[in-house]
């Protein structure tokens, strides 16, 4: 009958493995962190900036394609939405004025956000919002004659010939009245080109 040998067990090897895992590895890890820490921000920036630049490039391309393909339709929709907004504001003014006349008015400190605008005629057609210099017979905004009746696309065609001061007038008018994003965006780009 053969005797089985018991496997030999090396306690020195076990002690060395325990010391390696519990002492030397944590110290080595800490040393590696200390060595790479000054370069960690740079490495993180390198890892993140590439995909961000790619995403921005793809987004700009997609926006350009959409603008090229559907720009006129988007401008037309914005113009129609502005018209509807003015009609709704006019209707709100009419309701408020009717309520004031029937109920005897609102408290003295109450004000409607649309109070200073003219009301909509009773046939439901929207009136154009007139600025003080339009009320004097002038429809020129920033050197553009007939501005109030122009579509966003027509205004954008004329913006490049304007001075910075005239662009400022058009921007102020848009911010106060129709807030057409396509016009405001083009003004912003033109200002960048002027270096402002």
């Amino acid at each position: 009958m053969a005797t089985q040998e018991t496997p030999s067990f090396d306690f020195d090897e076990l002690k060395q493995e325990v010391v390696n895992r519990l002492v030397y590895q944590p110290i080595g890890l800490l040393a590696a962190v200390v060595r790479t820490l000054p370069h960690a921000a740079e490495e993180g920036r390198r890892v993140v900036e590439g995909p961000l630049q790619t995403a921005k490039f793809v987004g700009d391309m997609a926006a350009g394609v959409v603008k090229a393909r559907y720009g006129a339709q988007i401008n037309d929709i914005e113009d129609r939405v502005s018209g509807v907004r003015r009609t709704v504001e006019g209707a709100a003014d009419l309701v408020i004025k009717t309520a004031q006349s029937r109920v005897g008015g609102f408290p003295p400190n109450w004000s409607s956000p649309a109070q200073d605008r003219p009301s909509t005629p009773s046939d439901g057609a929207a009136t154009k919002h007139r600025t003080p210099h339009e009320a004097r017979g002038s429809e020129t905004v920033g050197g553009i004659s007939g501005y109030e009746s122009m579509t966003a696309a027509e205004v954008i065609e004329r913006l490049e010939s304007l001075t910075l001061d005239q662009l400022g007038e058009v921007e102020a008018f848009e911010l106060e009245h129709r807030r057409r994003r396509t016009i405001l965006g083009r003004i912003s780009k033109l200002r960048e080109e002027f270096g402002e």
Side-chain angles (χ1 to χ4, degrees):
M1 172 173 359
T3 60
Q4 291 184 353
E5 291 184 28
T6 56
S8 65
F9 195 74
D10 188 0
F11 284 105
D12 289 334
E13 194 177 305
L14 177 63
K15 283 192 301 187
Q16 188 60 41
E17 186 65 28
V18 168
V19 169
N20 282 345
R21 290 186 185 230
L22 296 179
V23 177
Y24 295 129
Q25 279 183 350
I27 290 172
L29 181 61
L30 184 59
V33 167
V34 168
R35 267 194 317 269
T36 60
L37 195 56
H39 308 290
E42 189 176 305
E43 178 67 16
R45 186 178 299 111
R46 186 184 62 76
V47 167
V48 170
E49 278 183 350
L52 283 179
Q53 287 176 348
T54 302
K56 183 180 183 306
F57 175 72
V58 170
D60 289 346
M61 280 185 52
V65 168
V66 168
K67 185 175 181 180
R69 184 171 287 174
Y70 302 107
Q73 290 97 335
I74 291 171
N75 290 340
D76 185 49
I77 289 169
E78 285 181 346
D79 290 345
R80 289 179 187 201
V81 167
S82 294
V84 169
R85 182 177 59 89
R86 285 193 303 274
T87 302
V88 169
E89 287 172 348
D93 285 341
L94 185 60
V95 168
I96 289 168
K97 287 177 182 174
T98 302
Q100 286 174 331
S101 68
R102 303 268 171 141
V103 178
F106 292 99
N109 61 352
W110 186 89
S111 66
S112 159
Q115 249 177 351
D116 297 329
R117 288 187 294 275
S119 64
T120 304
S122 59
D123 66 355
T127 60
K128 290 188 177 186
H129 183 105
R130 299 287 178 199
T131 64
H133 65 254
E134 285 177 332
R136 292 190 300 264
S138 169
E139 282 194 5
T140 301
V141 176
I144 301 175
S145 296
Y147 185 93
E148 181 67 20
S149 61
M150 297 174 94
T151 66
E154 291 170 329
V155 171
I156 288 171
E157 287 175 7
R158 290 168 176 79
L159 291 178
E160 290 186 22
S161 64
L162 302 182
T163 66
L164 280 174
D165 290 339
Q166 290 172 324
L167 286 174
E169 287 179 38
V170 172
E171 181 179 47
F173 181 87
E174 281 297 328
L175 288 172
E176 185 179 330
H177 297 92
R178 299 175 75 179
R179 304 186 72 82
R180 292 181 283 189
R181 289 180 306 203
T182 52
I183 294 174
L184 294 171
R186 184 64 186 139
I187 290 172
S188 177
K189 294 240 186 228
L190 287 170
R191 280 206 170 125
E192 289 174 13
E193 291 172 14
F194 273 114
E196 186 177 86

